[in-house]
Amino acid sequence: MSFDAVGRFLAALDPAHREAVEGRPHEEQERLAAAWEEELERDTDIDILDELSPPAAESEAARRVMARNE
């Protein structure tokens, strides 16, 4: 499994969004991954969820990023 930001972001997405993002240019994928990392860092609700379930927190942050970018 990839540990770069784009790879981690893609892994956190649901299958439909993952496929859509994989079809975008790499620069766009990097921009979305950076937004995802920012979401993980700044949202206190996700911080709490991260303590309970890191994969759930990453998925929630990915969902939020995609909702803002659709």
Side-chain angles (χ1 to χ4, degrees):
M1 173 176 271
S2 175
F3 290 104
D4 69 326
V6 172
R8 290 180 41 239
F9 173 61
L10 290 171
L13 290 169
D14 63 79
H17 281 119
R18 184 178 310 119
E19 185 175 311
V21 171
E22 287 175 332
R24 295 182 183 188
H26 188 70
E27 294 79 21
E28 177 71 6
Q29 292 178 19
E30 288 178 337
R31 186 187 68 75
L32 290 169
W36 171 72
E37 288 184 319
E38 289 174 23
E39 183 74 23
L40 283 170
E41 289 176 13
R42 75 169 186 250
D43 190 290
T44 57
D45 291 337
I46 288 179
D47 287 344
I48 293 167
L49 182 59
D50 188 45
E51 292 175 10
L52 300 173
S53 174
E58 291 181 349
S59 292
E60 175 61 18
R63 185 194 63 76
R64 291 178 184 185
V65 167
M66 292 308 295
R68 284 195 304 267
N69 287 278
E70 290 184 318

